[in-house]
């Protein structure tokens, strides 16, 4: 087992109720992914302004040493809330940016829309990954090359946003399933784009309050549901 896989296997996650988000206890990572407990994932698009009036996004390529989706393209940061984060999403973001990308000085804003995603994997048939997820938009004064500081990340590189979305559309299956959810859902792309412009302009914004639930299962097309949490989860279950 590779070093990053050894470290991940010792992780402990807080687990939550998928509707109320009430804390329900702690479990080892391996049990959470085997038994399908709902846990928190924290994602971030690290962005910077560019010379053509749009913005760039930092794209991560995962290493082959991670236990899920090795070698896939991903968002700038994709981490899961650990017990040590004290059930605080901002703390999980800070830890992830520091430990994976070496970023310690930044400004951020979180997409306020509640999000859920359910994932299974061809290469890991015993894994059921169910996450309450948060998307942050992050900008940092270090706008040059960012060198990953974790063995979980093979490389990180900047791409202009529109070019990146074209790259994603042509290489969708080369991305992690959470990345596919974020970059393949037009509503989320629209909201992330608008909020990024507000962040870079020094403004803050808030998204709608309805939940978004993504389901990406083996052998079935990805589906996205919008509305109340209980309704979305019921519809996702009926479609399974």
């Amino acid at each position: 087992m590779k070093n990053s896989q050894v470290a991940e296997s010792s992780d402990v996650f807080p687990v939550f109720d998928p509707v109320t988000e009430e804390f329900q206890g702690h479990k080892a990572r391996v049990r959470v992914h085997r038994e399908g407990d709902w846990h928190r994932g924290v994602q971030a698009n690290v962005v910077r302004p560019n010379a053509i009036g749009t913005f760039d996004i930092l794209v991560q390529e995962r290493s082959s040493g991670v236990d899920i989706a090795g070698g896939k393209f991903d968002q700038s940061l994709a981490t899961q809330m650990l017990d040590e984060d004290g059930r605080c999403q901002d703390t999980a973001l800070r830890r992830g940016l520091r430990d994976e990308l070496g970023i310690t000085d930044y400004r951020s804003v979180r997409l306020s829309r509640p999000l859920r995603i359910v994932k299974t994997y061809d290469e890991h048939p015993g894994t059921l990954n169910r996450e309450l997820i948060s998307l942050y938009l992050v900008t940092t004064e270090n706008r040059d090359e960012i060198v990953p500081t974790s063995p979980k990340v093979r490389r990180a590189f900047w791409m202009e946003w529109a070019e990146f979305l074209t790259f994603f559309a042509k290489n969708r299956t080369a991305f992690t399933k959470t990345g596919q959810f974020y970059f393949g859902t037009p509503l989320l792309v629209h909201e992330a784009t608008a909020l990024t412009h507000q962040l870079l302009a020094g403004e803050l914004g808030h998204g709608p309050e309805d939940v978004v639930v993504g389901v990406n299962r083996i052998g079935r097309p990805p589906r996205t549901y919008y509305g109340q949490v209980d309704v979305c989860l019921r519809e996702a279950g009926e479609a399974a």
Side-chain angles (χ1 to χ4, degrees):
M1 186 177 291
K2 297 183 179 181
N3 290 339
S4 56
Q5 290 178 318
V6 171
E8 287 179 333
S9 67
S10 64
D11 288 342
V12 176
F13 291 171
V15 296
F16 302 88
D17 183 279
V19 177
T20 66
E21 302 190 12
E22 181 181 3
F23 170 65
Q24 294 187 316
H26 306 273
K27 275 192 177 183
R29 174 193 177 100
V30 65
R31 285 190 60 199
V32 167
H33 284 165
R34 183 176 65 240
E35 299 171 10
D37 295 282
W38 286 89
H39 56 291
R40 285 201 179 278
V42 175
Q43 279 75 30
N45 292 349
V46 177
V47 295
R48 67 179 183 183
N50 58 34
I52 62 173
T54 61
F55 62 88
D56 302 331
I57 181 172
L58 186 72
V59 185
Q60 178 190 136
E61 183 179 4
R62 294 164 66 85
S63 76
S64 58
V66 296
D67 62 347
I68 297 176
K72 298 278 189 178
F73 294 109
D74 206 351
Q75 292 151 279
S76 314
L77 173 72
T79 190
Q80 291 170 311
M81 182 180 286
L82 303 179
D83 189 45
E84 67 189 67
D85 297 323
R87 305 203 297 275
C88 177
Q89 296 171 82
D90 292 341
T91 300
L93 173 70
R94 188 182 313 113
R95 172 186 52 77
L97 289 171
R98 180 195 66 218
D99 293 351
E100 294 194 14
L101 299 171
I103 295 174
T104 57
D105 184 17
Y106 61 90
R107 290 188 297 112
S108 67
V109 61
R110 178 163 56 92
L111 201 71
S112 61
R113 179 186 295 277
L115 301 164
R116 311 285 191 277
I117 189 167
V118 179
K119 298 168 284 185
T120 55
Y121 309 88
D122 289 306
E123 64 273 27
H124 303 290
T127 296
L128 174 56
N129 196 354
R130 301 198 291 191
E131 294 178 313
L132 312 172
I133 55 178
S134 301
L135 176 63
Y136 286 82
L137 294 313
V138 173
T139 187
T140 174
E141 293 305 315
N142 178 16
R143 293 171 176 168
D144 298 321
E145 181 182 7
I146 292 180
V147 179
T149 51
S150 167
K152 298 177 184 179
V153 185
R154 177 178 295 162
R155 62 178 176 136
F157 56 95
W158 293 104
M159 288 189 74
E160 193 276 331
W161 180 236
E163 292 180 359
F164 167 75
L165 292 176
T166 299
F167 174 75
F168 166 77
K170 292 179 178 178
N171 300 278
R172 185 184 183 111
T173 59
F175 280 75
T176 64
K177 288 194 168 182
T178 306
Q180 291 179 41
F181 175 57
Y182 276 121
F183 301 128
T185 302
L187 174 66
L188 298 181
V189 171
H190 173 76
E191 291 181 354
T193 302
L195 196 54
T196 296
H197 284 299
Q198 290 177 320
L199 173 68
L200 294 177
E203 303 170 356
L204 295 180
H206 301 282
E209 296 180 353
D210 281 350
V211 72
V212 178
V213 175
V215 179
N216 196 329
R217 298 249 189 197
I218 296 170
R220 300 173 187 174
R223 291 286 303 275
T224 302
Y225 301 88
Y226 307 93
Q228 297 299 312
V229 176
D230 53 347
V231 175
C232 286
L233 292 177
R234 182 173 67 251
E235 291 177 351
E238 290 171 352

